[in-house]
Amino acid sequence: MKTLIWLLFLPGFLCNPNPLRIQPNSLVAWKGSCVLIPCQIGQYKGTVLRDLSLLWYFQPFYDINRSDYSGQLLYNSAAASSSYRTRSQSAFADRLKFVGNLERRTCNLKISQLRAEDNGIYGARLYASYGRPVQKNKWFLNATVNVAESPPEPRMDIFPKEIREGQMDVTCSVPYHCLDEPLRLTISGLGSRLSSRPTTMKDGVIKTVVSFQVTWEDHGKSLVCSLLKTRDGSAISKSTMQLDVKYAPKDVRVTASPGKTVLEGETLSLECTINSSNPEVSEYLWYKNDRLMHEQPKLKRIDYEVEGDQHSGAYRCQAKNSVGSQTSEEVFINVQSRFQDPSAPSTSGLEPTTESEGAQSSPSSPFTYEHVSSPLPSMSCPPSLSERPPSQAPLPSSQTPCDGRTLWEEFSFLKESQDQAVKAQNQFIHSCKELTSSVVQLAEKFQQALLQIKQRICVIPSEEKEP
C-alpha cells in the first residue's frame, strides 16, 4: 500500500508531468566543502505556473495522515507553509542558504561546511496554481548528496586512448557543485611543453585540458593533476598518470662479429640491435644487396659458416612491431681467402695486372716475383695436401713456394684465388709440378744447344788449314 502511495507522487505517474527538475540528482562532495543542489521550475501542461510556494526537506518521507511530505524542514518560501515545519533546522544553522529565485523559476539550495552527517536525501516540495479556471497542484522531487571524508582524486583522461607520437590532449576533472567557492585544476609534468586551458565548470564537473606533442622519449614519464584552492593555491588532492607511449623500433643497427672482414671457414654472426621499442619487436627481416633473405628465420641474430663470395655483400635488417618498422643502414661484409693478406684490399671481380719489365709483382699478390739471370737450378715443390702432415699449417704468403720465378708471370691466373682454400692450394701445387717438368726439359735443350755450338767452334779452324 505504501509503495502505491509513493508511486502516486512520482514524476509523470498517472500522466502528471513534474515541472520540477534537479540535474544532476546525485551529487558528490567532501567534508569541509560545499554543495549546490541545482533546481529549476518549468511549465506544467504547457502553461506557466503561478502563486509558487516551495519547501526543502532533509530526509523527507510521505506522511499518510497529512497526505503530504514531511521531514526536517530546511527552507520555506511562504509563511503560509509554516505549518509543515516538523523539526528544528538548527543542525544546518548558518550553513544553509536558498540561492534560487522563484520569479526566475530557480530553486537552488546551497549547503556549506559539509559534515559527514549531511549525507542523505534532500527533497523539494512545490505548490502552485495554473490555468483558467484556476487549478492548484503540488509536486515533489529529490536529490542525493554523498559526503566523502576527503576530496576525490582528479580523473585523468587522454585522447586518443592509445598514446602514440604526435599531438595529444589530456583532461583532468573532478565532480564539484559549488560555484560560490571555486576550485582550480592544474596539470604538470613536462615543463613548458604543456599548453593549458582555463578551468571550466559544467553540469557539476570542473575540468581543465592541456595539449602537448608526444615523443617516444616521453614513454614512462608522468603527468600530475592537482586540485587547488583558489584562495591560496594549496593542493587538496592530486592524481598521477604514467605515459605509455607506443612507438616503432628506434636506432636499428647491424653489428657483425668477428668483424666486417672475415676469412673463409670462420663463423660470421650478424645481429640486429635496437635502442628502444614499445611494444617489443615482433619480427626481424634481413636483406642482402637489397633483396629479402627468405631463407632466414625472422630472428634477431643469424650465423654463417662463410664460404667465399656467396657471403660477401651489403647486409641490413628491419625491425617491426605493431606500430611500425625501421630499417638499419647497410653493413658491407668482405670475405677473404685464407691465402690473401687480410690487410690487403679485396680484388674480387678484378682482372690481374702486369707490372712493367724489371718492376716488382702486384702488391695484391701474396707472393714476390723477381727476374733470375743465372741458369735455373733443379726445383723442389711443396708436398700435396695428402702428403703433408695434418699438423702442418698452410703456407704463409711470405714463404717461397718453389724456384723458377721468372716464369710465374705467365701463370698470373694463380694469383688471388677466391676459391676454397683446399682447392686453391691443390691447383697451385699441380701447376708447380707442371712448371718443374717444363723447366727441366728446357734445361736439357739448353745444354744440348751449348754442346752443338761448342762442337761447331772447334771444327771450323781445322777446315781453314786445307789448300
Side-chain angles (χ1 to χ4, degrees):
M1 184 64 181
K2 289 183 178 181
T3 303
L4 179 60
I5 294 174
W6 268 98
L7 289 174
L8 292 175
F9 294 94
L10 289 176
F13 188 77
L14 297 179
C15 300
N16 183 21
N18 195 338
L20 286 172
R21 182 175 181 270
I22 300 177
Q23 187 64 35
N25 60 3
S26 180
L27 302 97
V28 177
W30 53 90
K31 291 171 63 174
S33 68
C34 66
V35 66
L36 180 72
I37 304 176
C39 177
Q40 293 179 332
I41 302 172
Q43 294 184 348
Y44 178 70
K45 293 184 178 181
T47 63
V48 178
L49 298 175
R50 303 185 302 274
D51 305 323
L52 303 179
S53 177
L54 183 77
L55 294 87
W56 273 102
Y57 291 104
F58 178 58
Q59 305 294 34
F61 62 93
Y62 189 76
D63 189 340
I64 299 177
N65 297 327
R66 296 171 58 94
S67 298
D68 207 342
Y69 283 91
S70 186
Q72 183 176 353
L73 186 62
L74 303 178
Y75 171 74
N76 184 357
S77 67
S81 302
S82 60
S83 59
Y84 291 96
R85 192 184 306 273
T86 57
R87 282 187 285 178
S88 171
Q89 58 178 4
S90 60
F92 290 93
D94 301 325
R95 299 191 300 118
L96 187 141
K97 183 179 181 181
F98 180 76
V99 291
N101 188 323
L102 295 182
E103 291 182 359
R104 296 181 179 180
R105 300 300 193 264
T106 61
C107 43
N108 304 327
L109 186 68
K110 176 186 175 183
I111 308 169
S112 301
Q113 297 299 312
L114 286 169
R115 305 169 182 172
E117 55 267 27
D118 296 337
N119 261 316
I121 298 174
Y122 294 77
R125 185 58 156 166
L126 176 66
Y127 301 88
S129 60
Y130 64 95
R132 292 284 189 272
V134 177
Q135 301 180 56
K136 294 184 178 182
N137 208 339
K138 52 189 176 181
W139 300 268
F140 178 82
L141 194 62
N142 61 29
T144 302
V145 175
N146 298 295
V147 181
E149 284 292 322
S150 58
E153 291 185 354
R155 174 178 173 176
M156 300 185 71
D157 297 291
I158 193 163
F159 181 82
K161 293 295 184 183
E162 184 176 273
I163 308 175
R164 295 195 180 188
E165 294 179 286
Q167 187 74 18
M168 303 293 294
D169 290 334
V170 177
T171 301
C172 180
S173 61
V174 172
Y176 192 60
H177 310 275
C178 195
L179 289 173
D180 294 344
E181 300 179 19
L183 298 178
R184 185 163 56 94
L185 289 168
T186 62
I187 300 177
S188 58
L190 296 178
S192 59
R193 292 170 52 197
L194 295 178
S195 174
S196 8
R197 304 173 196 171
T199 300
T200 61
M201 182 172 181
K202 184 179 180 181
D203 298 329
V205 175
I206 59 173
K207 71 175 181 179
T208 187
V209 180
V210 296
S211 301
F212 66 104
Q213 195 75 17
V214 179
T215 69
W216 68 272
E217 294 174 321
D218 293 325
H219 177 64
K221 294 182 179 179
S222 296
L223 295 177
V224 178
C225 178
S226 302
L227 179 64
L228 309 174
K229 290 183 178 181
T230 304
R231 292 191 303 270
D232 56 10
S234 59
I236 59 177
S237 178
K238 63 176 58 178
S239 60
T240 302
M241 169 188 285
Q242 189 174 50
L243 298 178
D244 182 16
V245 184
K246 306 296 184 182
Y247 53 91
K250 301 295 182 182
D251 195 17
V252 180
R253 299 182 182 183
V254 174
T255 59
S257 177
K260 298 179 182 179
T261 301
V262 292
L263 297 177
E264 291 178 322
E266 289 185 332
T267 299
L268 171 65
S269 296
L270 299 177
E271 185 172 359
C272 192
T273 63
I274 62 170
N275 182 9
S276 184
S277 176
N278 186 36
E280 294 296 325
V281 175
S282 57
E283 182 180 46
Y284 293 92
L285 298 179
W286 288 92
Y287 295 83
K288 178 184 177 184
N289 298 330
D290 292 328
R291 288 190 175 184
L292 179 63
M293 302 169 65
H294 294 285
E295 73 280 4
Q296 290 302 326
K298 299 176 181 181
L299 301 178
K300 182 177 183 179
R301 175 173 173 156
I302 56 176
D303 299 302
Y304 288 113
E305 183 89 15
V306 292
E307 300 176 358
D309 277 348
Q310 71 181 67
H311 287 137
S312 291
Y315 291 82
R316 58 186 174 91
C317 71
Q318 185 181 49
K320 288 185 174 183
N321 63 14
S322 60
V323 178
S325 64
Q326 189 181 75
T327 303
S328 70
E329 294 183 356
E330 288 185 339
V331 170
F332 187 80
I333 300 301
N334 178 24
V335 179
Q336 293 187 342
S337 168
R338 287 190 177 272
F339 296 100
Q340 180 178 346
D341 185 357
S343 63
S346 172
T347 59
S348 177
L350 300 178
E351 294 296 331
T353 58
T354 305
E355 299 291 336
S356 60
E357 184 177 357
Q360 296 294 327
S361 61
S362 170
S364 63
S365 172
F367 305 108
T368 302
Y369 307 96
E370 59 185 25
H371 292 286
V372 180
S373 58
S374 59
L376 295 174
S378 62
M379 301 182 65
S380 174
C381 292
S384 65
L385 289 179
S386 59
E387 298 171 349
R388 184 179 300 159
S391 61
Q392 184 174 343
L395 291 173
S397 60
S398 60
Q399 180 177 332
T400 302
C402 60
D403 294 328
R405 293 172 182 164
T406 54
L407 298 180
W408 274 106
E409 295 177 1
E410 299 179 8
F411 296 89
S412 60
F413 61 89
L414 292 177
K415 295 186 305 176
E416 301 295 323
S417 174
Q418 296 299 314
D419 295 331
Q420 297 180 1
V422 175
K423 180 179 178 181
Q425 187 166 359
N426 286 338
Q427 288 179 344
F428 170 75
I429 294 173
H430 178 72
S431 299
C432 187
K433 289 181 178 180
E434 290 183 349
L435 177 62
T436 302
S437 176
S438 299
V439 171
V440 170
Q441 293 177 6
L442 181 60
E444 291 177 352
K445 290 180 180 181
F446 182 73
Q447 290 178 358
Q448 291 177 1
L450 288 178
L451 182 60
Q452 291 176 359
I453 293 172
K454 182 178 179 180
Q455 292 176 350
R456 184 175 179 181
I457 293 174
C458 294
V459 170
I460 290 176
S462 59
E463 292 178 352
E464 291 178 352
K465 293 180 182 182
E466 294 180 359

